[in-house]
Amino acid sequence: MIGTRSTRRSRLIAQLVATVVVIPFAFPLVTILVTSFGGEGAVANYAAVISETPFLRFALNSLVIAVGTVALVYACTMSAGYAFAKMQFRGKSLLFNAILVGLILPTLAIIVPIFITVQRLGLFSNPIAVIVPLSATLVPFTLLLARNYLVGIPDEILEAARVDGATSFGTLIRIVIPLSAPISAVVVVWAFLQAWNDLFLPLLILQDEDARAITQVPLYFTSQYGSDVPKIFASLVLLSLPIVIAYLALQKLFERGLTAGAVK
Amino acid sequence: MSTQTESMKRGPAGLTPAPLGRHASAHLSRHRVAYLYLLPALILVVGVIYAGVGYNGWVSTLDWNGISPTPRSVGLGQYGKALGDPIVWSALWHTGVFAVLTILVQMALGLLMALVLTVPVRFANLYRVLMFVPVVMAPAAVSSAFRAILQPDGQVNAVLDALGLGGLGQAWLADPSLALISLAGINIWQWTGFSFILYQAALSQIDASVVEAAQMDGASPWRLVRSVVVPQLSGTHATLAITGLIGALKTFDLVYLTTGGGPARSTEFLTTYIYEQTVDRFNAGYGAALSMILLVLAMALTIAQMAAYRFGRK
């Protein structure tokens, strides 16, 4: 675009500016990695995190929460997205907008009801108590994405399925979902990322040490090890690694997914 | 099960496309099966968000610790208390300062990087990845890392020392006059990649002929960016301003894990204050009233921004 008529001089300037801007962004990443290899040494630090702390336990708990959240969000999203995109019914616009209002809710604004409900039902330290409110705050966004995508599926294909005797549910499972792979991937990546990275709900709800989430690792470390910075950084690397690797492998998908709601 | 399948067969599954919002006509009532598909999402959203906000509204009229069987009704007393609470006002001020700083710097740096990378540059994809990795990292990890990096004996001061700028070294998070700016800096580090990717996507959509015409007319690069490119990105500017404002209102992990609202409440946000009142001090009633204020602010800002955006497009 702007660079179509670039000269050697403008390329040089661009290279220089880009490098200067990127250095402060790269510096903390490099620092975290290098520091995590310091102290008693890389092997000792990482081995200590994995074997001497409940790190793997926390990771497993987060995996359970993330998978549960992805499943609940995906089921609600595709089912409702299908109805909003491809069916006519009374109150459609009202119901759609009623769900979209949830987009602006800061989860923290319902801390009191969540806290009291969890207390009444005795659900402290139960992953379901994290999965349900987390999913409720994610569905408005994923539904908006899915509905906009599903509207684009040609009606002729659904009509053909109906003529062949497919039920509406059969059409959803055998036709709509297979045709929605791109948006499904975005919904799954988005929900997984949000669940894995969330701190607020686990902090509020998962109080038993055995039940904690991976984002609570830094707090656990600070309380157990004080300021053993190399080990803390090793735990941060391990906490970020699955997501960063997934991002590097699926770069376009992550960038599209994370900015999808913003590109209109 | 069989009756459900029957009703699904009768439901014609909406084969006529219609834009959302078309007025419901009489034949629509036959498509009742649609409600079955909506049910899971509706139960979830209504059950958690609507019921939660409603219950929260009721609790906000009480003087209650969240446990005792005999909450005392105080009407709008908690809201009066909030309006007279200097911590609430300073928390709103901190959120505003934080929002303005982060939004402006993130937009400027993101746009600069997106513009520069329209020129073929070496390592362009590496640069892109380095700027976007922070976006996918957990705020909990980012905050904990910066808490250490920004210590007086941390790596930032060490680098300043190495550059002979040791005099600029600071207790970044422990100095009440600096802590809020340091938090903004961490947020900018984490989220500039988001602005960058959005601007990059928007730049690729700009009509190349307009840019070429301006270049033919001899417009300088700076003039080209200012008068031709930036105005065409108004949708992206608006989006980043909205998401940045809502993001600032929602900010919690970052503050909780670095300064905890201190020193001397110099980085207290409404979110951290709500958490403190509700979880640490058992003031469920007051926490609920503060939550309602947070919610109303989020809604008002969204509506105002959307209205401004629509107005700007006309």
Side-chain angles (χ1 to χ4, degrees):
Chain A
M1 200 271 312
I2 298 164
T4 44
R5 300 181 355 145
S6 59
T7 58
R8 180 187 271 263
R9 184 166 154 270
S10 68
R11 282 190 198 195
L12 204 67
I13 295 174
Q15 185 75 54
L16 193 70
V17 173
T19 308
V20 168
V21 172
V22 109
I23 284 173
F25 288 90
F27 169 69
L29 293 174
V30 174
T31 300
I32 295 169
L33 212 55
V34 170
T35 311
S36 76
F37 299 150
E40 296 163 32
V43 176
N45 292 338
Y46 283 87
V49 170
I50 290 175
S51 62
E52 292 169 26
T53 73
F55 180 86
L56 290 177
R57 175 84 227 173
F58 288 15
L60 183 67
N61 294 336
S62 277
L63 192 64
V64 168
I65 291 168
V67 170
T69 305
V70 166
L72 186 56
V73 166
Y74 187 72
C76 291
T77 299
M78 294 312 283
S79 163
Y82 176 47
F84 280 122
K86 293 294 172 194
M87 295 182 194
Q88 304 306 319
F89 52 91
R90 244 181 243 284
K92 181 166 158 176
S93 166
L94 177 78
L95 288 171
F96 191 62
N97 287 321
I99 293 178
L100 285 200
V101 169
L103 277 175
I104 52 175
L105 178 94
T107 316
L108 221 128
I110 49 171
I111 180 173
V112 173
I114 292 174
F115 194 68
I116 292 175
T117 308
V118 167
Q119 197 171 54
R120 289 265 169 83
L121 299 178
L123 287 176
F124 277 116
S125 300
N126 188 327
I128 290 169
V130 175
I131 292 171
V132 170
L134 190 59
S135 301
T137 59
L138 298 179
V139 159
F141 177 68
T142 55
L143 177 60
L144 177 65
L145 292 183
R147 184 256 167 197
N148 289 350
Y149 186 88
L150 296 180
V151 163
I153 294 181
D155 291 310
E156 292 75 28
I157 299 178
L158 304 191
E159 173 67 22
R162 194 180 67 97
V163 170
D164 288 348
T167 60
S168 68
F169 188 70
T171 308
L172 171 62
I173 297 296
R174 279 190 289 275
I175 302 196
V176 175
I177 289 190
L179 285 175
S180 322
I183 202 68
S184 294
V186 168
V187 168
V188 167
V189 162
W190 168 262
F192 190 93
L193 187 67
Q194 296 301 314
W196 185 268
N197 282 352
D198 188 50
L199 171 69
F200 168 63
L201 286 169
L203 187 66
L204 184 67
I205 293 166
L206 306 178
Q207 301 182 339
D208 289 351
E209 195 179 297
D210 281 350
R212 286 185 201 164
I214 196 157
T215 44
Q216 289 169 287
V217 159
L219 283 170
Y220 176 85
F221 259 87
T222 320
S223 68
Q224 298 293 312
Y225 286 79
S227 59
D228 189 342
V229 175
K231 288 205 184 76
I232 293 176
F233 277 24
S235 77
L236 298 182
V237 171
L238 287 174
L239 142 62
S240 309
L241 213 53
I243 296 288
V244 172
I245 289 174
Y247 164 60
L248 294 177
L250 306 166
Q251 198 186 334
K252 287 280 167 289
L253 190 63
F254 269 70
E255 291 173 4
R256 201 149 34 95
L258 276 165
T259 54
V263 185
K264 291 184 190 103
Chain B
M1 186 61 214
S2 69
T3 50
Q4 194 185 347
T5 319
E6 276 308 302
S7 74
M8 281 178 182
K9 271 184 186 154
R10 279 201 306 275
L15 292 159
T16 43
L20 208 62
R22 179 199 272 188
H23 206 68
S25 56
H27 79 277
L28 297 191
S29 60
R30 281 185 284 130
H31 304 227
R32 259 169 290 176
V33 67
Y35 299 113
L36 282 179
Y37 290 98
L38 297 186
L39 211 54
L42 274 179
I43 291 175
L44 195 61
V45 170
V46 172
V48 175
I49 298 182
Y50 281 82
V53 171
Y55 183 76
N56 194 61
W58 177 69
V59 175
S60 75
T61 66
L62 305 173
D63 180 8
W64 190 31
N65 60 12
I67 301 165
S68 116
T70 54
R72 191 166 62 89
S73 177
V74 292
L76 295 178
Q78 301 286 17
Y79 292 92
K81 183 179 163 191
L83 293 180
D85 186 342
I87 297 170
V88 171
W89 292 105
S90 68
L92 290 177
W93 168 248
H94 298 151
T95 309
V97 171
F98 179 87
V100 170
L101 276 177
T102 54
I103 292 170
L104 289 181
V105 179
Q106 279 160 210
M107 285 171 70
L109 281 179
L111 180 58
L112 175 67
M113 200 64 181
L115 283 170
V116 164
L117 290 192
T118 61
V119 179
V121 160
R122 262 174 217 267
F123 315 120
N125 198 47
L126 173 66
Y127 289 4
R128 188 185 161 95
V129 166
L130 284 173
M131 293 195 71
F132 204 74
V133 159
V135 177
V136 303
M137 286 174 69
V142 170
S143 311
S144 309
F146 273 95
R147 190 181 135 113
I149 291 173
L150 292 174
Q151 291 295 317
D153 59 354
Q155 288 84 345
V156 166
N157 284 350
V159 167
L160 288 174
D161 261 341
L163 294 173
L165 299 168
L168 295 178
Q170 303 286 345
W172 300 101
L173 293 169
D175 180 342
S177 62
L178 261 182
L180 185 63
I181 295 169
S182 301
L183 291 189
I186 301 172
N187 199 74
I188 290 164
W189 182 81
Q190 180 157 32
W191 290 102
T192 296
F194 183 77
S195 308
F196 163 54
I197 298 284
L198 273 192
Y199 277 126
Q200 212 172 35
L203 281 176
S204 68
Q205 306 283 319
I206 285 188
D207 188 355
S209 62
V210 180
V211 175
E212 276 162 25
Q215 281 173 331
M216 299 281 211
D217 290 346
S220 68
W222 166 244
R223 170 119 185 119
L224 182 70
V225 166
R226 207 190 52 184
S227 309
V228 180
V229 176
V230 168
Q232 290 206 44
L233 301 174
S234 63
T236 311
H237 303 321
T239 302
L240 289 172
I242 297 185
T243 50
L245 261 180
I246 301 289
L249 267 185
K250 286 182 172 176
T251 298
F252 172 77
D253 302 7
L254 170 61
V255 187
Y256 186 83
L257 289 178
T258 49
T259 62
R265 291 205 188 269
S266 64
T267 56
E268 197 73 76
F269 279 54
L270 204 49
T271 49
T272 50
Y273 195 43
I274 291 170
Y275 190 89
E276 177 195 319
Q277 287 296 330
T278 308
V279 178
D280 300 338
R281 297 188 189 276
F282 300 103
N283 288 331
Y286 195 43
L290 295 173
S291 299
M292 294 309 272
I293 293 173
L294 176 67
L295 192 61
V296 168
L297 281 173
M299 292 189 81
L301 283 172
T302 308
I303 292 167
Q305 292 251 351
M306 282 167 64
Y309 176 54
R310 290 220 179 93
F311 182 74
R313 277 215 295 199
K314 273 180 190 157

